Amino acid sequence: MLLGSCSALLAQSSARELETVSRAVAEAKAHTASDARQAIFDIKAYHDNDGRLVVGGITSDSLARKAVVTALAKTGIDYADSIKLLPYDSWALTSIPAASHRTAPRHAAEMATQSVLGTPLRVLERHKEWMRVQTPDGYIAYVPSSSVVPKTPSEMEAWRATKRFIVASPFQIRVYTSASAEGPRDIVTDLVNGCIVSAVGGVGGIENGRLRIELPDGRTGYVDATAMIPIEQWAAQDFDPDLILDTAYSMEGTPYLWGGTSVKALDCSGLAKVSYFANGIILMRDASQQALTGTRIETANWRTCRPGDLLFFGNATTKKVTHVAIYDSNGNYVHSSGRVKRNSVDPDSPDYLTTPFLHAVRIAGNEETPGIIRARNHPWYF
C-alpha cells in the first residue's frame, strides 16, 4: 500500500475515533449535566499537537465525570484523560444580607440569583475579584469575593457544629453594636428572613431582650431575640402552608427584581423560594425548574389545589413556563409580578389574569424528592 494511502486511512480512523468519543461525551452530558444552571460541563474531545486523542476540560459534578469515563470505556478507544473535577471541599459563607450572583464575573452581567447572609456556598473557581459558586439549591453563578467569606473544610465543620440562629421575622431587622444601642450610627448591619448567624462563644446569651451574635466574617452585635429562632427548631418544622403564605403576604408591595431571592426585592420564583425556606424547605431556583418537581395537578383540576401549591404560567402553545405563584384558596394566589400582589386563577373572579395557566404542583408530601429538600437533611447546613 502506498504511504499516502496509509496516511489517509489513519486520518480517517482518527477522525472516526474522535467522532465516536465526542458522541459518547455528549451522551454523558445529556444524562447527567444537561442543565447548565446546575452543573458545569465543559468537556471536549480533541487531538493534541502530537496527534493523541485527549478528552479534557472541567466539570463540577463527580457523577458527570464518572459517566464520561464509563461511556468512553465502552467505546474501547484509547485516550488521554485530562478532565478536571472542580473542588467539593472549598467553601464560603455569604457575609452580607443579600449577595447578588451573576451569570458572568462582572457587575454588568445579568443577575441570576441571590444568597442571604450565612448561606453555605461551594466555591468552584476563583476569578480575581469574583468566585464561581454553587448555592444549596444547586444553582451556579458568580458572586463578588467581597460579598462572601472563604471557609476551610474544618471551619465549615465548626460552623455546622456551633450554636446558630436564623432570622424568622418576615421583616428586615437591625444588628446593633450593643444591647442598648438604638441610633443609626450604632447599626452593624441589617438582616433579612433566612439569614443565619452564630451565637458568640457558642453561648447565645440574651441581654436587654437582645441576642448577642456573630456574623460569618467575625463581626459581632446584638439583635432582637424575638426575631430569631435556633436553627434546629427552624429545620425541624413540619409542612406549614400558613407560614409559607404568611411569609409571602408579608412582602405584599415589595418590588419585583429579576434574580432577587430575598425580602428586599425578588422575582416570581424567588418569592416561592423565600416563602418555602421560611418553612425549612429548599426549592429549585427557577420557575421552569420548580415546575418539574412535586406532584403535578392539571389546569382543569385547579379547584383541587391546596394552600401552598405552586401555580405555573407561560406560553399556551409551547407550554414553556415563565411564571410561578403560590396558591391560597378559592382560586386566589400571591405572586411577584411588578410587585408582590394577589390575583386569581378563577376566570369568574375580578382578580383573574389572562396569562395562560399551565399546571400546578404540590410540594407538600414530596419533600426529599428530586428538586425539593428539607434543610435539616442538607449536608451543607448540618
Side-chain angles (χ1 to χ4, degrees):
M1 183 178 291
L2 296 177
L3 181 60
S5 298
C6 288
S7 298
L9 288 174
L10 288 172
Q12 290 175 5
S13 176
S14 180
R16 283 196 299 270
E17 287 186 346
L18 178 61
E19 181 180 355
T20 299
V21 168
S22 297
R23 187 164 55 248
V25 170
E27 290 174 354
K29 178 180 181 179
H31 285 104
T32 60
S34 60
D35 191 341
R37 296 168 293 184
Q38 300 288 126
I40 298 169
F41 190 103
D42 186 16
I43 299 174
K44 294 180 174 61
Y46 59 93
H47 287 114
D48 65 11
N49 293 333
D50 296 324
R52 293 181 304 172
L53 180 59
V54 179
V55 178
I58 60 173
T59 181
S60 61
D61 195 313
S62 59
L63 293 179
R65 191 194 191 290
K66 183 178 180 180
V68 170
V69 173
T70 300
L72 294 179
K74 292 179 180 178
T75 68
I77 297 173
D78 291 331
Y79 68 97
D81 187 341
S82 184
I83 302 171
K84 177 185 177 182
L85 178 63
L86 296 177
Y88 274 90
D89 59 353
S90 183
W91 300 97
L93 292 173
T94 304
S95 58
I96 61 175
S100 298
H101 297 223
R102 302 189 178 276
T103 56
R106 59 180 185 275
H107 288 288
E110 175 188 350
M111 188 161 80
T113 192
Q114 290 179 316
S115 61
V116 299
L117 184 143
T119 300
L121 305 170
R122 176 188 169 199
V123 179
L124 301 171
E125 295 178 304
R126 298 171 188 266
H127 297 260
K128 295 183 179 178
E129 298 178 354
W130 294 81
M131 292 183 183
R132 198 178 193 183
V133 300
Q134 188 169 37
T135 52
D137 58 18
Y139 217 79
I140 294 173
Y142 295 87
V143 66
S145 300
S146 59
S147 298
V148 303
V149 55
K151 297 289 182 180
T152 64
S154 60
E155 287 173 333
M156 284 300 294
E157 287 182 14
W159 177 77
R160 295 184 189 104
T162 195
K163 190 175 184 64
R164 291 168 292 159
F165 294 85
I166 190 166
V167 178
S169 168
F171 308 111
Q172 296 182 53
I173 60 175
R174 306 290 183 189
V175 179
Y176 290 95
T177 55
S178 74
S180 58
E182 295 180 348
R185 300 187 185 188
D186 300 317
I187 294 172
V188 177
T189 185
D190 70 310
L191 296 176
V192 298
N193 185 270
C195 286
I196 299 171
V197 298
S198 301
V200 172
V203 178
I206 296 177
E207 181 182 343
N208 195 29
R210 289 181 178 173
L211 177 70
R212 192 179 181 205
I213 62 166
E214 180 177 341
L215 305 177
D217 58 8
R219 288 176 292 161
T220 60
Y222 293 79
V223 65
D224 179 5
T226 63
M228 316 293 290
I229 61 173
I231 194 170
E232 294 84 4
Q233 180 182 331
W234 162 76
Q237 296 177 89
D238 293 327
F239 185 83
D240 187 347
D242 287 330
L243 173 62
I244 292 167
L245 284 163
D246 284 348
T247 303
Y249 283 129
S250 73
M251 291 179 271
E252 191 146 9
T254 298
Y256 178 96
L257 175 66
W258 179 271
T261 59
S262 84
V263 299
K264 290 176 177 287
L266 29 58
D267 57 23
C268 63
S269 54
L271 179 68
K273 279 189 63 66
V274 170
S275 301
Y276 266 84
F277 193 69
N279 195 202
I281 299 171
I282 301 170
L283 298 183
M284 300 289 281
R285 172 62 188 95
D286 292 339
S288 60
Q289 297 172 312
Q290 295 170 0
L292 301 175
T293 65
T295 301
R296 184 182 176 102
I297 302 168
E298 298 303 334
T299 306
N301 299 324
W302 68 262
R303 287 179 177 81
T304 67
C305 285
R306 301 174 188 168
D309 288 347
L310 300 182
L311 309 179
F312 296 95
F313 304 81
N315 189 298
T317 302
T318 65
K319 304 301 180 183
K320 180 181 179 181
V321 170
T322 58
H323 189 63
V324 60
I326 307 173
Y327 188 78
D328 189 348
S329 60
N330 299 318
N332 299 314
Y333 59 83
V334 56
H335 64 139
S336 180
S337 178
R339 56 180 168 81
V340 177
K341 59 185 178 182
R342 311 178 191 203
N343 282 108
S344 176
V345 74
D346 185 350
D348 296 327
S349 170
D351 294 324
Y352 176 71
L353 289 184
T354 57
T355 305
F357 170 41
L358 303 181
H359 73 277
V361 302
R362 179 157 299 145
I363 303 299
N366 289 290
E367 297 89 334
E368 308 313 319
T369 61
I372 307 168
I373 184 171
R374 286 198 170 276
R376 63 177 178 241
N377 296 322
H378 198 302
W380 296 11
Y381 287 94
F382 295 98

